[in-house]
Tab-separated table of all heavy atoms in Angstrom:
chain	number	residue	atom	x	y	z
A	52	GLY	N	96.883	113.429	106.953
A	52	GLY	CA	97.937	112.468	106.668
A	52	GLY	C	99.188	113.133	106.147
A	52	GLY	O	99.236	114.347	105.940
A	53	ALA	N	100.178	112.309	105.902
A	53	ALA	CA	101.452	112.777	105.368
A	53	ALA	C	101.428	112.714	103.849
A	53	ALA	O	100.857	111.805	103.271
A	53	ALA	CB	102.583	111.908	105.904
A	54	VAL	N	102.049	113.677	103.213
A	54	VAL	CA	102.224	113.669	101.766
A	54	VAL	C	103.644	113.181	101.517
A	54	VAL	O	104.611	113.803	101.953
A	54	VAL	CB	102.010	115.071	101.156
A	54	VAL	CG1	102.281	115.054	99.662
A	54	VAL	CG2	100.602	115.566	101.456
A	55	ILE	N	103.757	112.065	100.829
A	55	ILE	CA	105.063	111.443	100.607
A	55	ILE	C	105.556	111.783	99.211
A	55	ILE	O	104.820	111.670	98.232
A	55	ILE	CB	104.958	109.918	100.793
A	55	ILE	CG1	104.548	109.617	102.234
A	55	ILE	CG2	106.270	109.231	100.431
A	55	ILE	CD1	104.216	108.169	102.491
A	56	ASN	N	106.799	112.176	99.109
A	56	ASN	CA	107.432	112.474	97.837
A	56	ASN	C	107.921	111.159	97.247
A	56	ASN	O	108.965	110.643	97.631
A	56	ASN	CB	108.596	113.453	98.062
A	56	ASN	CG	109.306	113.808	96.782
A	56	ASN	OD1	109.183	113.131	95.763
A	56	ASN	ND2	110.070	114.884	96.828
A	57	TRP	N	107.133	110.616	96.313
A	57	TRP	CA	107.470	109.315	95.726
A	57	TRP	C	108.809	109.348	95.020
A	57	TRP	O	109.574	108.383	95.072
A	57	TRP	CB	106.363	108.867	94.764
A	57	TRP	CG	105.076	108.614	95.466
A	57	TRP	CD1	103.962	109.410	95.475
A	57	TRP	CD2	104.764	107.504	96.307
A	57	TRP	NE1	102.986	108.848	96.267
A	57	TRP	CE2	103.461	107.665	96.788
A	57	TRP	CE3	105.475	106.371	96.701
A	57	TRP	CZ2	102.839	106.769	97.631
A	57	TRP	CZ3	104.852	105.463	97.550
A	57	TRP	CH2	103.555	105.669	97.996
A	58	ALA	N	109.145	110.457	94.346
A	58	ALA	CA	110.418	110.556	93.628
A	58	ALA	C	111.596	110.445	94.589
A	58	ALA	O	112.603	109.821	94.272
A	58	ALA	CB	110.485	111.856	92.835
A	59	ALA	N	111.457	111.026	95.775
A	59	ALA	CA	112.532	110.945	96.767
A	59	ALA	C	112.739	109.515	97.251
A	59	ALA	O	113.812	109.174	97.750
A	59	ALA	CB	112.228	111.868	97.945
A	60	LEU	N	111.741	108.668	97.100
A	60	LEU	CA	111.854	107.261	97.485
A	60	LEU	C	112.309	106.377	96.324
A	60	LEU	O	112.322	105.155	96.439
A	60	LEU	CB	110.513	106.755	98.020
A	60	LEU	CG	110.078	107.332	99.353
A	60	LEU	CD1	108.674	106.864	99.703
A	60	LEU	CD2	111.053	106.935	100.444
A	61	GLY	N	112.650	107.001	95.201
A	61	GLY	CA	113.173	106.240	94.079
A	61	GLY	C	112.168	105.899	92.997
A	61	GLY	O	112.485	105.164	92.070
A	62	TYR	N	110.960	106.423	93.084
A	62	TYR	CA	109.960	106.193	92.043
A	62	TYR	C	110.048	107.355	91.054
A	62	TYR	O	109.521	108.431	91.298
A	62	TYR	CB	108.564	106.089	92.641
A	62	TYR	CG	108.353	104.820	93.414
A	62	TYR	CD1	108.675	104.731	94.768
A	62	TYR	CD2	107.852	103.690	92.787
A	62	TYR	CE1	108.505	103.555	95.468
A	62	TYR	CE2	107.676	102.506	93.482
A	62	TYR	CZ	108.006	102.450	94.824
A	62	TYR	OH	107.836	101.273	95.505
A	63	ALA	N	110.742	107.126	89.938
A	63	ALA	CA	111.031	108.193	88.983
A	63	ALA	C	110.034	108.253	87.828
A	63	ALA	O	110.035	109.208	87.069
A	63	ALA	CB	112.441	108.013	88.429
A	64	VAL	N	109.188	107.241	87.685
A	64	VAL	CA	108.270	107.159	86.544
A	64	VAL	C	106.834	107.170	87.050
A	64	VAL	O	106.483	106.437	87.973
A	64	VAL	CB	108.539	105.865	85.730
A	64	VAL	CG1	107.484	105.674	84.647
A	64	VAL	CG2	109.934	105.897	85.132
A	65	GLU	N	106.021	108.029	86.427
A	65	GLU	CA	104.584	108.027	86.696
A	65	GLU	C	103.869	107.983	85.351
A	65	GLU	O	104.200	108.741	84.442
A	65	GLU	CB	104.153	109.262	87.480
A	65	GLU	CG	102.678	109.252	87.841
A	65	GLU	CD	102.256	110.427	88.712
A	65	GLU	OE1	103.125	111.130	89.251
A	65	GLU	OE2	101.046	110.639	88.830
A	66	VAL	N	102.921	107.071	85.251
A	66	VAL	CA	102.169	106.896	84.014
A	66	VAL	C	100.683	106.906	84.349
A	66	VAL	O	100.257	106.308	85.339
A	66	VAL	CB	102.540	105.565	83.313
A	66	VAL	CG1	101.723	105.368	82.046
A	66	VAL	CG2	104.028	105.530	83.001
A	67	SER	N	99.910	107.594	83.526
A	67	SER	CA	98.456	107.533	83.623
A	67	SER	C	97.966	106.607	82.525
A	67	SER	O	98.399	106.719	81.376
A	67	SER	CB	97.823	108.915	83.431
A	67	SER	OG	98.042	109.714	84.553
A	68	LEU	N	97.089	105.708	82.884
A	68	LEU	CA	96.482	104.812	81.904
A	68	LEU	C	94.998	105.115	81.814
A	68	LEU	O	94.303	105.139	82.831
A	68	LEU	CB	96.670	103.345	82.310
A	68	LEU	CG	98.096	102.823	82.378
A	68	LEU	CD1	98.093	101.367	82.826
A	68	LEU	CD2	98.796	102.968	81.054
A	69	ARG	N	94.526	105.356	80.615
A	69	ARG	CA	93.090	105.493	80.371
A	69	ARG	C	92.601	104.125	79.939
A	69	ARG	O	93.076	103.575	78.949
A	69	ARG	CB	92.825	106.515	79.278
A	69	ARG	CG	93.182	107.923	79.655
A	69	ARG	CD	92.850	108.834	78.507
A	69	ARG	NE	93.312	110.186	78.776
A	69	ARG	CZ	93.333	111.144	77.881
A	69	ARG	NH1	92.913	110.912	76.642
A	69	ARG	NH2	93.761	112.336	78.187
A	70	VAL	N	91.664	103.596	80.675
A	70	VAL	CA	91.207	102.226	80.442
A	70	VAL	C	89.745	102.228	80.013
A	70	VAL	O	88.899	102.861	80.649
A	70	VAL	CB	91.365	101.376	81.727
A	70	VAL	CG1	90.856	99.967	81.511
A	70	VAL	CG2	92.816	101.369	82.191
A	71	THR	N	89.488	101.522	78.920
A	71	THR	CA	88.119	101.270	78.475
A	71	THR	C	87.845	99.796	78.720
A	71	THR	O	88.660	98.945	78.370
A	71	THR	CB	87.949	101.606	76.985
A	71	THR	OG1	88.309	102.978	76.790
A	71	THR	CG2	86.513	101.387	76.530
A	72	LEU	N	86.726	99.509	79.356
A	72	LEU	CA	86.389	98.133	79.704
A	72	LEU	C	85.431	97.524	78.697
A	72	LEU	O	84.624	98.223	78.084
A	72	LEU	CB	85.758	98.083	81.101
A	72	LEU	CG	86.637	98.572	82.253
A	72	LEU	CD1	85.850	98.573	83.557
A	72	LEU	CD2	87.896	97.738	82.381
A	73	ASP	N	85.507	96.203	78.570
A	73	ASP	CA	84.536	95.434	77.797
A	73	ASP	C	83.365	95.182	78.743
A	73	ASP	O	83.422	94.328	79.612
A	73	ASP	CB	85.159	94.124	77.335
A	73	ASP	CG	84.153	93.226	76.640
A	73	ASP	OD1	83.008	93.660	76.403
A	73	ASP	OD2	84.519	92.072	76.342
A	74	LYS	N	82.320	95.948	78.569
A	74	LYS	CA	81.193	95.910	79.500
A	74	LYS	C	80.081	94.978	79.034
A	74	LYS	O	78.934	95.138	79.426
A	74	LYS	CB	80.689	97.322	79.736
A	74	LYS	CG	81.738	98.210	80.421
A	74	LYS	CD	81.309	99.640	80.539
A	74	LYS	CE	81.361	100.419	79.269
A	74	LYS	NZ	82.648	100.699	78.676
A	75	THR	N	80.428	93.983	78.214
A	75	THR	CA	79.401	93.033	77.765
A	75	THR	C	78.976	92.109	78.903
A	75	THR	O	77.925	91.484	78.817
A	75	THR	CB	79.897	92.203	76.564
A	75	THR	OG1	81.093	91.525	76.926
A	75	THR	CG2	80.128	93.095	75.352
A	76	GLN	N	79.791	92.023	79.947
A	76	GLN	CA	79.409	91.256	81.134
A	76	GLN	C	78.989	92.241	82.215
A	76	GLN	O	79.676	93.241	82.461
A	76	GLN	CB	80.571	90.396	81.616
A	76	GLN	CG	80.976	89.332	80.619
A	76	GLN	CD	82.107	88.489	81.169
A	76	GLN	OE1	82.272	88.361	82.366
A	76	GLN	NE2	82.885	87.910	80.271
A	77	GLY	N	77.912	91.960	82.873
A	77	GLY	CA	77.336	92.876	83.845
A	77	GLY	C	78.236	93.217	85.018
A	77	GLY	O	78.134	94.291	85.590
A	78	ASN	N	79.122	92.342	85.387
A	78	ASN	CA	79.959	92.579	86.561
A	78	ASN	C	81.376	93.017	86.185
A	78	ASN	O	82.275	93.008	87.016
A	78	ASN	CB	80.018	91.324	87.424
A	78	ASN	CG	80.541	90.125	86.649
A	78	ASN	OD1	80.729	90.193	85.438
A	78	ASN	ND2	80.754	89.028	87.338
A	79	ALA	N	81.594	93.422	84.932
A	79	ALA	CA	82.929	93.781	84.449
A	79	ALA	C	83.553	94.900	85.284
A	79	ALA	O	84.713	94.816	85.682
A	79	ALA	CB	82.859	94.188	82.976
A	80	PHE	N	82.795	95.937	85.547
A	80	PHE	CA	83.312	97.087	86.280
A	80	PHE	C	83.735	96.682	87.688
A	80	PHE	O	84.841	97.012	88.130
A	80	PHE	CB	82.237	98.188	86.340
A	80	PHE	CG	82.774	99.557	86.117
A	80	PHE	CD1	82.876	100.070	84.841
A	80	PHE	CD2	83.172	100.335	87.176
A	80	PHE	CE1	83.361	101.342	84.621
A	80	PHE	CE2	83.668	101.612	86.976
A	80	PHE	CZ	83.764	102.116	85.699
A	81	ASP	N	82.874	95.973	88.387
A	81	ASP	CA	83.172	95.564	89.766
A	81	ASP	C	84.383	94.641	89.834
A	81	ASP	O	85.236	94.788	90.720
A	81	ASP	CB	81.954	94.887	90.397
A	81	ASP	CG	80.792	95.848	90.586
A	81	ASP	OD1	81.035	97.067	90.694
A	81	ASP	OD2	79.642	95.377	90.611
A	82	GLU	N	84.480	93.707	88.905
A	82	GLU	CA	85.613	92.778	88.896
A	82	GLU	C	86.915	93.507	88.591
A	82	GLU	O	87.941	93.255	89.227
A	82	GLU	CB	85.378	91.649	87.896
A	82	GLU	CG	84.334	90.658	88.340
A	82	GLU	CD	84.089	89.551	87.325
A	82	GLU	OE1	84.840	89.466	86.326
A	82	GLU	OE2	83.143	88.780	87.535
A	83	PHE	N	86.877	94.426	87.633
A	83	PHE	CA	88.070	95.210	87.305
A	83	PHE	C	88.522	96.017	88.516
A	83	PHE	O	89.702	95.997	88.886
A	83	PHE	CB	87.792	96.133	86.111
A	83	PHE	CG	88.900	97.103	85.842
A	83	PHE	CD1	90.032	96.704	85.150
A	83	PHE	CD2	88.820	98.413	86.291
A	83	PHE	CE1	91.071	97.599	84.914
A	83	PHE	CE2	89.849	99.308	86.059
A	83	PHE	CZ	90.972	98.900	85.367
A	84	LEU	N	87.604	96.731	89.146
A	84	LEU	CA	87.960	97.579	90.294
A	84	LEU	C	88.482	96.750	91.469
A	84	LEU	O	89.431	97.165	92.151
A	84	LEU	CB	86.762	98.429	90.725
A	84	LEU	CG	86.336	99.504	89.725
A	84	LEU	CD1	85.087	100.213	90.215
A	84	LEU	CD2	87.463	100.493	89.457
A	85	ALA	N	87.898	95.604	91.708
A	85	ALA	CA	88.371	94.742	92.803
A	85	ALA	C	89.810	94.305	92.564
A	85	ALA	O	90.627	94.290	93.493
A	85	ALA	CB	87.457	93.532	92.951
A	86	GLU	N	90.145	93.976	91.328
A	86	GLU	CA	91.496	93.500	91.021
A	86	GLU	C	92.516	94.633	90.958
A	86	GLU	O	93.646	94.476	91.408
A	86	GLU	CB	91.499	92.703	89.715
A	86	GLU	CG	90.775	91.377	89.824
A	86	GLU	CD	91.354	90.468	90.896
A	86	GLU	OE1	92.592	90.276	90.927
A	86	GLU	OE2	90.563	89.945	91.709
A	87	VAL	N	92.131	95.783	90.416
A	87	VAL	CA	93.087	96.880	90.295
A	87	VAL	C	93.472	97.417	91.673
A	87	VAL	O	94.590	97.906	91.871
A	87	VAL	CB	92.570	97.993	89.354
A	87	VAL	CG1	91.549	98.892	90.043
A	87	VAL	CG2	93.723	98.825	88.802
A	88	ARG	N	92.585	97.313	92.646
A	88	ARG	CA	92.900	97.750	94.011
A	88	ARG	C	94.045	96.930	94.617
A	88	ARG	O	94.692	97.373	95.550
A	88	ARG	CB	91.668	97.626	94.898
A	88	ARG	CG	90.639	98.691	94.685
A	88	ARG	CD	89.501	98.545	95.690
A	88	ARG	NE	88.528	99.592	95.529
A	88	ARG	CZ	87.325	99.420	95.018
A	88	ARG	NH1	86.924	98.227	94.608
A	88	ARG	NH2	86.494	100.426	94.904
A	89	LYS	N	94.296	95.750	94.093
A	89	LYS	CA	95.332	94.862	94.626
A	89	LYS	C	96.731	95.186	94.089
A	89	LYS	O	97.704	94.621	94.555
A	89	LYS	CB	94.991	93.412	94.288
A	89	LYS	CG	93.711	92.918	94.932
A	89	LYS	CD	93.400	91.508	94.482
A	89	LYS	CE	92.059	91.033	95.001
A	89	LYS	NZ	91.739	89.677	94.479
A	90	VAL	N	96.824	96.076	93.120
A	90	VAL	CA	98.120	96.411	92.517
A	90	VAL	C	98.720	97.574	93.313
A	90	VAL	O	98.239	98.703	93.216
A	90	VAL	CB	97.968	96.783	91.023
A	90	VAL	CG1	99.331	97.101	90.405
A	90	VAL	CG2	97.254	95.675	90.255
A	91	PRO	N	99.778	97.328	94.100
A	91	PRO	CA	100.295	98.379	94.985
A	91	PRO	C	100.854	99.592	94.260
A	91	PRO	O	100.830	100.702	94.807
A	91	PRO	CB	101.390	97.680	95.796
A	91	PRO	CG	101.664	96.403	95.115
A	91	PRO	CD	100.488	96.072	94.253
A	92	GLU	N	101.334	99.424	93.045
A	92	GLU	CA	101.897	100.552	92.301
A	92	GLU	C	100.825	101.447	91.691
A	92	GLU	O	101.142	102.522	91.186
A	92	GLU	CB	102.833	100.039	91.195
A	92	GLU	CG	104.071	99.348	91.706
A	92	GLU	CD	103.865	97.853	91.985
A	92	GLU	OE1	102.741	97.342	91.775
A	92	GLU	OE2	104.825	97.205	92.418
A	93	VAL	N	99.585	101.023	91.717
A	93	VAL	CA	98.478	101.881	91.277
A	93	VAL	C	98.110	102.746	92.474
A	93	VAL	O	97.551	102.270	93.453
A	93	VAL	CB	97.263	101.057	90.784
A	93	VAL	CG1	96.086	101.982	90.471
A	93	VAL	CG2	97.639	100.234	89.563
A	94	ILE	N	98.450	104.030	92.388
A	94	ILE	CA	98.251	104.920	93.538
A	94	ILE	C	96.952	105.708	93.468
A	94	ILE	O	96.551	106.331	94.434
A	94	ILE	CB	99.445	105.877	93.727
A	94	ILE	CG1	99.667	106.746	92.492
A	94	ILE	CG2	100.710	105.092	94.075
A	94	ILE	CD1	100.657	107.878	92.688
A	95	GLU	N	96.292	105.664	92.313
A	95	GLU	CA	95.012	106.356	92.180
A	95	GLU	C	94.190	105.687	91.101
A	95	GLU	O	94.717	105.284	90.067
A	95	GLU	CB	95.233	107.827	91.823
A	95	GLU	CG	93.954	108.638	91.745
A	95	GLU	CD	94.203	110.107	91.441
A	95	GLU	OE1	95.248	110.447	90.864
A	95	GLU	OE2	93.322	110.909	91.780
A	96	VAL	N	92.891	105.565	91.362
A	96	VAL	CA	91.938	105.052	90.376
A	96	VAL	C	90.775	106.033	90.336
A	96	VAL	O	90.201	106.365	91.368
A	96	VAL	CB	91.408	103.645	90.751
A	96	VAL	CG1	90.376	103.168	89.741
A	96	VAL	CG2	92.548	102.649	90.880
A	97	GLN	N	90.465	106.503	89.150
A	97	GLN	CA	89.300	107.365	88.950
A	97	GLN	C	88.394	106.689	87.935
A	97	GLN	O	88.870	106.042	87.010
A	97	GLN	CB	89.712	108.739	88.406
A	97	GLN	CG	90.566	109.543	89.344
A	97	GLN	CD	91.003	110.856	88.705
A	97	GLN	OE1	90.981	111.025	87.485
A	97	GLN	NE2	91.407	111.798	89.534
A	98	THR	N	87.092	106.830	88.126
A	98	THR	CA	86.142	106.276	87.164
A	98	THR	C	85.394	107.420	86.486
A	98	THR	O	85.239	108.501	87.059
A	98	THR	CB	85.146	105.310	87.825
A	98	THR	OG1	84.422	106.011	88.842
A	98	THR	CG2	85.862	104.115	88.434
A	99	PHE	N	84.932	107.141	85.250
A	99	PHE	CA	84.308	108.177	84.428
A	99	PHE	C	83.075	107.637	83.724
A	99	PHE	O	82.923	106.434	83.552
A	99	PHE	CB	85.292	108.658	83.342
A	99	PHE	CG	86.550	109.251	83.892
A	99	PHE	CD1	87.684	108.474	84.052
A	99	PHE	CD2	86.610	110.581	84.252
A	99	PHE	CE1	88.855	109.014	84.562
A	99	PHE	CE2	87.774	111.128	84.763
A	99	PHE	CZ	88.899	110.338	84.911
A	100	LEU	N	82.237	108.549	83.286
A	100	LEU	CA	81.173	108.242	82.332
A	100	LEU	C	81.683	108.669	80.975
A	100	LEU	O	82.302	109.714	80.833
A	100	LEU	CB	79.895	109.020	82.675
A	100	LEU	CG	79.200	108.635	83.967
A	100	LEU	CD1	78.040	109.587	84.231
A	100	LEU	CD2	78.712	107.206	83.912
A	101	GLY	N	81.463	107.880	79.968
A	101	GLY	CA	81.934	108.216	78.632
A	101	GLY	C	82.737	107.082	78.036
A	101	GLY	O	82.673	105.943	78.498
A	102	ARG	N	83.533	107.396	77.018
A	102	ARG	CA	84.304	106.361	76.332
A	102	ARG	C	85.356	105.730	77.246
A	102	ARG	O	85.566	104.532	77.243
A	102	ARG	CB	84.982	106.941	75.089
A	102	ARG	CG	85.592	105.878	74.184
A	102	ARG	CD	86.347	106.449	73.006
A	102	ARG	NE	87.619	107.065	73.347
A	102	ARG	CZ	88.722	106.378	73.681
A	102	ARG	NH1	88.719	105.088	73.723
A	102	ARG	NH2	89.834	107.026	73.965
A	103	VAL	N	86.047	106.542	78.036
A	103	VAL	CA	87.031	106.035	78.994
A	103	VAL	C	86.308	105.712	80.292
A	103	VAL	O	85.553	106.522	80.818
A	103	VAL	CB	88.150	107.080	79.232
A	103	VAL	CG1	89.073	106.640	80.353
A	103	VAL	CG2	88.920	107.331	77.953
A	104	ASP	N	86.524	104.496	80.797
A	104	ASP	CA	85.851	104.068	82.021
A	104	ASP	C	86.644	104.375	83.278
A	104	ASP	O	86.077	104.643	84.331
A	104	ASP	CB	85.573	102.562	81.958
A	104	ASP	CG	84.596	102.220	80.855
A	104	ASP	OD1	83.501	102.816	80.846
A	104	ASP	OD2	84.927	101.379	80.001
Side-chain angles (χ1 to χ4, degrees):
V54 177
I55 298 172
N56 180 343
W57 295 104
L60 291 174
Y62 289 88
V64 173
E65 183 176 347
V66 178
S67 287
L68 297 179
R69 293 181 186 170
V70 178
T71 302
L72 299 175
D73 175 7
K74 296 174 285 293
T75 57
Q76 296 182 26
N78 57 352
F80 222 88
D81 294 335
E82 288 179 8
F83 172 80
L84 292 176
E86 291 302 311
V87 78
R88 284 185 178 108
K89 296 176 185 177
V90 181
E92 294 87 0
V93 174
I94 59 170
E95 183 178 24
V96 177
Q97 296 177 341
T98 59
F99 299 94
L100 293 174
R102 191 184 73 74
V103 173
D104 295 306

